[in-house]
Amino acid sequence: MIRPATISTLGPLRARPIPISSSLRHLSTTSRVTSQPHTRLSSNFFLSHTRPSPRAPPLGAKRSASFQFPAFPPRSFAAQYPITSLCARLVFSSILGLGLLTGVILLHDAFTYSERHVDRVPTNALALQPRKGGKKNLPILEVNLDDEEDEVKRDMKGKPRLVIVGGGWGAVALIQSLPPAAYNVTLISPQTYFAFTPLLPSACVGTVEVRSLVEPLRKLIARVRGHFLMGSAMDLDMAERLVEVEVPSDQGEGTMRCYVPYDKLIIAVGSTSNSHGVKGLEHCFQLKTIPDAQAIRRRVMTNLELAALPTTTPAERERLLSFVISGGGPTGVEFAAELVDMMAEDVLKYYPKLLESQVQVHVIQSRDHILNTYSEKISEYAEKKFARNDVTVWTNTRVQEVTPDKVIVTVKDPKDRDAKAVTKEIPAGFVLWSTGIAMQPFTKRLVDILPNQYHSKAVEVDSFLRVQGAPKGTVYALGDAATVHVGLTTELMALWEKFDVNRDEKIDFSEWESMAKYIRKQHPLASQHFEKIRDLFEQYDKDKDEKLSLNEMAEMFMALEKKVTSYPATAQVAAQQGGYLGHMFSKLAKQHKVLRANDMPDLDDEAYHSPFNYHHLGSLAYIGNSAAFDYNGWSFAGGLIAMYAWRSVYWSEQTSMRTRVLLMIDWIKRGIFGRDLSKF
Ligand code: FAD
Ligand code: MG
């Protein structure tokens, strides 16, 4: 039946057909539409093959015999069942799309296999047989095995040598912000990969796999055409600019030492755990590295299997299932949360129920609250969550000793500070030690050989991250290994000279204003203490002569220096510092040709760059199927949505798409199949 030419519109307008104008009709091209004018157009919204084509020939033009794909589903079916037809089309196009994608991936994969061979690689003789020298007459690795490989590498030989010691957060951020091929970069690290530490607690129980948290350093350094050297820095010869490195020898059985020359050395060796002088730490696990996470996972699974044996005595079972975590900071809390998740989600399902009911998780914290660097609200939220999950939180408690089967602690009464601490024993089948940081051996060595180094946990650097006491512009340190020191008292005389403009041996208010402005700019870490300059001036102008004497000034600087707290030992700080140095060196690289032409080896960093300024982007913590965020006094803690937000942040922070994909797969895998409970 041929209906009048109309376009049906949806809704109320349906009742009032709109006649198609003659010009619209001209847009119809197919013979069918021409022979059955506009009927299909008006009758079926879903029949796209009957929709007018924008490339339609004008009326009267000769129709060419063009090829048409067969319609799917057939037109008669589509006309009868428009919705089913649309669904069928969607399914068909999805299958087609997936098929095409798989085809492209397979094709790409096929092209990645190659049988390329390299013959006669040009190599410098000095790379194969390094000359010996330096104070200890060790081989000096001046030339790399790949220096003659291609034009770019040959060109790199003349570039300033940038040696980075360490392959963690700080080092990787630095590499990622350096311009490609501007420096002859060498990265030295005993590990061949960068590890994403914030997710290490998840790897301890198999929520994610360790392979999803690592990125090979060689891949990261390739961007700047740099070199990787597997080894550990041991010592430093600052006069000859040589860093002494221990590398494996005798097929990895032994070690040997060599020198790596540098123009600029960046120390990014991170930190180790602080023992706080506690006895028996050899019975504890640490959580700093990938092998640490693997060892913990092995021990957790071993304890569960041993506890599941009918031959295990009840007392031994109780001990095996007692997990003690010393340290109520983010690492300790996140590990405890992951452990509890695992017990509730997987152990309950696949092990005798008795085990889950006997598992005890203890978190020991020396302060009043866990997560004490976060807001009070978050600490309370975490404590309440742990109480609900039967995690025992021991606050105001210190570990005195760890033995193979127990932890001895002393507990203080927070209400009665004078009361004697009570000693208690906690049976333990597993102890995690995560209480603060200490120096790596290389950092310790550096602090020993340098003057003006007084910090007990890190090497002191100035606001440009230059190691104090080392020749200026040659040695930098960042991340956990470094602490920014604001040496106001040591700078006092220089500041006095600069700002006592009228030379009256006093600093009046206008001179003080300029001085405070300068200090705020040069020492961002201390800037908040130099904001109320009128108050400071009046507070330390003891004789009320409206001027500050040298003694008054010294007193003020000593008091303010004590108030300055260093940046926290976090990945966020390390990454920002790495990025800062990368930016600074990029700027310097642009001047390199001019400097070399003028026979100037280097520039003072102050001359071309501003000091390091940290921007806190907030803190995150996972607390067992929920998460907490803290940002400049604003805090938020919550359930699944917060947890997904927490995951998204870490997902976006990954160094590569590869680890992003792996992480996503791990999270989905855990959701569908649960954690892998195998023990290797
Ligand atoms: P690292 O990243 O520790 O890297 C040090 C590198 O130096 C390593 O590659 C090491 O092998 C290498 N090295 C050591 N000695 C030598 C040597 N002698 N010679 C050559 N190389 C050497 N921070 C956050 O901001 N958010 C978090 O959620 C968070 N969670 C954490 C969870 C865990 C379990 C841990 C352990 C830390 C966490 N941190 C977090 C802290 C963060 O990981 C550190 O602050 C950060 O790694 C410091 O970066 P870095 O570059 O100084 O040192
Ligand atoms: Mg004066």
Side-chain angles (χ1 to χ4, degrees):
M1 191 188 78
I2 299 174
R3 276 178 271 163
T6 55
I7 293 176
S8 304
T9 51
L10 298 173
L13 285 177
R14 189 172 283 176
R16 196 159 55 87
I18 304 164
I20 289 183
S21 71
S22 57
S23 58
L24 248 179
R25 255 180 243 147
H26 294 162
L27 292 172
S28 305
T29 55
T30 59
S31 57
R32 184 161 177 172
V33 174
T34 330
S35 60
Q36 299 180 358
H38 20 269
T39 27
R40 294 285 166 197
L41 188 65
S42 62
S43 68
N44 204 326
F45 174 76
F46 299 105
L47 284 176
S48 61
H49 56 274
T50 61
R51 270 185 242 143
S53 153
R55 282 187 284 134
L59 192 72
K62 251 190 169 180
R63 270 185 289 118
S64 61
S66 60
F67 172 77
Q68 283 189 7
F69 278 104
F72 177 82
R75 281 174 191 145
S76 52
F77 180 84
Q80 214 172 344
Y81 305 105
I83 304 283
T84 320
S85 144
L86 179 72
C87 294
R89 265 187 208 174
L90 281 176
V91 171
F92 178 69
S93 25
S94 307
I95 293 171
L96 198 72
L98 277 175
L100 272 173
L101 190 71
T102 314
V104 170
I105 291 172
L106 286 179
L107 202 68
H108 175 265
D109 179 58
F111 278 106
T112 57
Y113 294 97
S114 81
E115 293 191 1
R116 273 189 300 156
H117 294 288
V118 183
D119 297 321
R120 284 202 293 269
V121 182
T123 315
N124 192 315
L126 265 180
L128 300 171
Q129 205 84 52
R131 80 174 170 92
K132 288 190 171 181
K135 275 189 197 135
K136 297 183 187 169
N137 198 32
L138 297 173
I140 304 176
L141 311 186
E142 289 159 297
V143 186
N144 293 289
L145 281 174
D146 56 356
D147 273 357
E148 303 292 334
E149 235 172 58
D150 55 39
E151 201 51 51
V152 182
K153 290 243 163 121
R154 272 193 288 277
D155 189 40
M156 304 268 291
K157 279 188 300 180
K159 303 271 165 75
R161 289 169 190 274
L162 200 76
V163 176
I164 306 167
V165 184
W169 279 95
V172 167
L174 167 58
I175 296 166
Q176 287 178 330
S177 49
L178 277 176
Y183 288 91
N184 185 352
V185 183
T186 302
L187 189 135
I188 303 165
S189 170
Q191 291 154 357
T192 59
Y193 52 82
F194 160 78
F196 192 86
T197 49
L199 287 177
L200 279 180
S202 303
C204 292
V205 294
T207 310
V208 298
E209 296 297 329
V210 288
R211 289 264 167 201
S212 314
L213 307 184
V214 300
E215 190 62 23
L217 288 169
R218 276 190 186 276
K219 283 195 175 179
L220 294 170
I221 197 106
R223 199 186 68 84
V224 290
R225 308 300 304 259
H227 313 277
F228 174 73
L229 198 70
M230 188 172 77
S232 296
M234 307 302 284
D235 207 346
L236 196 56
D237 181 345
M238 279 177 280
E240 291 197 46
R241 293 194 186 182
L242 297 171
V243 54
E244 188 180 323
V245 181
E246 189 171 81
V247 292
S249 69
D250 302 333
Q251 296 174 353
E253 297 291 311
T255 56
M256 66 167 287
R257 297 221 178 169
C258 54
Y259 284 128
V260 177
Y262 65 85
D263 293 312
K264 285 191 183 289
L265 177 72
I266 294 94
I267 296 160
V269 293
S271 56
T272 60
S273 292
N274 196 333
S275 72
H276 294 285
V278 170
K279 276 193 284 180
L281 289 195
E282 63 276 15
H283 307 300
C284 298
F285 285 79
Q286 289 196 11
L287 184 49
K288 282 262 169 202
T289 61
I290 293 288
D292 289 344
Q294 287 172 315
I296 292 175
R297 189 169 175 185
R298 227 172 283 129
R299 171 59 84 88
V300 171
M301 297 320 303
T302 306
N303 282 15
L304 287 171
E305 290 305 336
L306 290 178
L309 288 174
T311 45
T312 302
T313 63
E316 178 63 357
R317 184 171 296 117
E318 190 191 331
R319 185 190 74 79
L320 286 167
L321 296 176
S322 171
F323 297 88
V324 180
I325 296 139
S326 178
T331 303
V333 167
E334 289 191 338
F335 174 73
E338 289 282 356
L339 201 60
V340 169
D341 285 356
M342 182 203 185
M343 297 301 163
E345 288 158 17
D346 299 277
V347 174
L348 192 61
K349 240 193 227 171
Y350 300 104
Y351 286 81
K353 304 251 177 307
L354 178 76
L355 261 63
E356 211 274 337
S357 68
Q358 287 196 349
V359 165
Q360 290 182 49
V361 180
H362 303 269
V363 176
I364 299 172
Q365 166 73 321
S366 59
R367 309 280 184 90
D368 290 338
H369 292 283
I370 54 171
L371 292 181
N372 65 301
T373 52
Y374 289 61
S375 73
E376 211 171 292
K377 193 174 141 197
I378 285 183
S379 294
E380 276 172 21
Y381 180 87
E383 281 166 12
K384 278 188 193 149
K385 181 97 182 41
F386 275 0
R388 277 203 303 277
N389 291 340
D390 293 329
V391 175
T392 315
V393 177
W394 299 68
T395 49
N396 299 296
T397 306
R398 283 188 176 277
V399 174
Q400 296 302 321
E401 191 181 345
V402 182
T403 70
D405 56 1
K406 62 177 179 286
V407 178
I408 303 164
V409 296
T410 49
V411 189
K412 272 199 157 185
D413 181 357
K415 289 180 199 122
D416 186 1
R417 292 278 166 199
D418 300 328
K420 214 173 161 247
V422 182
T423 303
K424 290 193 177 174
E425 287 183 2
I426 309 170
F430 167 91
V431 186
L432 175 69
W433 188 258
S434 79
T435 54
I437 62 158
M439 277 191 257
Q440 286 278 10
F442 180 60
T443 321
K444 216 177 254 171
R445 172 72 190 141
L446 198 67
V447 167
D448 287 345
I449 58 175
L450 282 168
N452 307 329
Q453 290 284 342
Y454 306 107
H455 205 276
S456 60
K457 290 183 186 165
V459 62
E460 285 178 355
V461 294
D462 67 11
S463 301
F464 292 82
L465 307 186
R466 294 172 296 202
V467 171
Q468 285 187 356
K472 239 183 180 179
T474 58
V475 188
Y476 300 76
L478 52 84
D480 286 7
T483 179
V484 176
H485 177 241
V486 180
L488 291 174
T489 40
T490 38
E491 277 180 46
L492 177 58
M493 287 320 294
L495 289 170
W496 189 268
E497 279 293 304
K498 193 176 168 101
F499 290 97
D500 179 15
V501 187
N502 57 11
R503 303 281 164 222
D504 65 347
E505 303 290 314
K506 294 256 175 161
I507 293 288
D508 59 33
F509 186 73
S510 71
E511 289 168 340
W512 162 239
E513 244 180 342
S514 321
M515 188 194 281
K517 195 173 163 201
Y518 175 82
I519 294 173
R520 272 211 306 269
K521 192 161 172 259
Q522 290 301 305
H523 301 291
L525 185 60
S527 67
Q528 57 165 316
H529 302 294
F530 285 85
E531 272 163 11
K532 294 178 182 160
I533 51 170
R534 171 57 76 181
D535 294 354
L536 278 175
F537 189 82
E538 283 170 8
Q539 185 186 347
Y540 287 93
D541 179 17
K542 297 278 157 82
D543 54 9
K544 304 292 171 204
D545 66 344
E546 289 291 313
K547 286 175 182 168
L548 292 174
S549 68
L550 193 57
N551 278 347
E552 287 167 345
M553 205 96 241
E555 200 182 324
M556 180 207 288
F557 277 14
M558 273 193 289
L560 292 183
E561 219 174 85
K562 276 188 202 145
K563 280 192 191 169
V564 177
T565 47
S566 194
Y567 300 120
T570 61
Q572 211 182 122
V573 172
Q576 284 189 28
Q577 290 181 331
Y580 163 80
L581 281 187
H583 187 257
M584 189 157 92
F585 296 154
S586 308
K587 239 177 157 178
L588 184 63
K590 287 185 192 140
Q591 321 270 346
H592 180 63
K593 268 192 187 146
V594 183
L595 291 174
R596 211 164 45 172
N598 290 300
D599 207 19
M600 285 166 72
D602 218 333
L603 256 188
D604 193 346
D605 297 324
E606 280 148 79
Y608 68 98
H609 210 278
S610 49
F612 171 70
N613 195 3
Y614 172 62
H615 300 283
H616 185 58
L617 303 174
S619 311
L620 293 178
Y622 176 75
I623 3 185
N625 292 335
S626 58
F629 300 79
D630 212 354
Y631 176 70
N632 283 351
W634 181 84
S635 55
F636 168 67
L640 278 182
I641 291 178
M643 191 195 75
Y644 282 117
W646 171 84
R647 278 187 185 174
S648 325
V649 172
Y650 285 156
W651 193 79
S652 64
E653 291 287 313
Q654 295 298 309
T655 47
S656 73
M657 209 54 210
R658 188 188 67 87
T659 52
R660 280 195 194 109
V661 171
L662 289 177
L663 262 184
M664 186 63 86
I665 292 172
D666 283 352
W667 283 326
I668 294 172
K669 234 167 48 181
R670 187 217 63 89
I672 299 173
F673 307 109
R675 293 172 182 80
D676 182 353
L677 300 171
S678 333
K679 169 187 147 338
F680 298 103

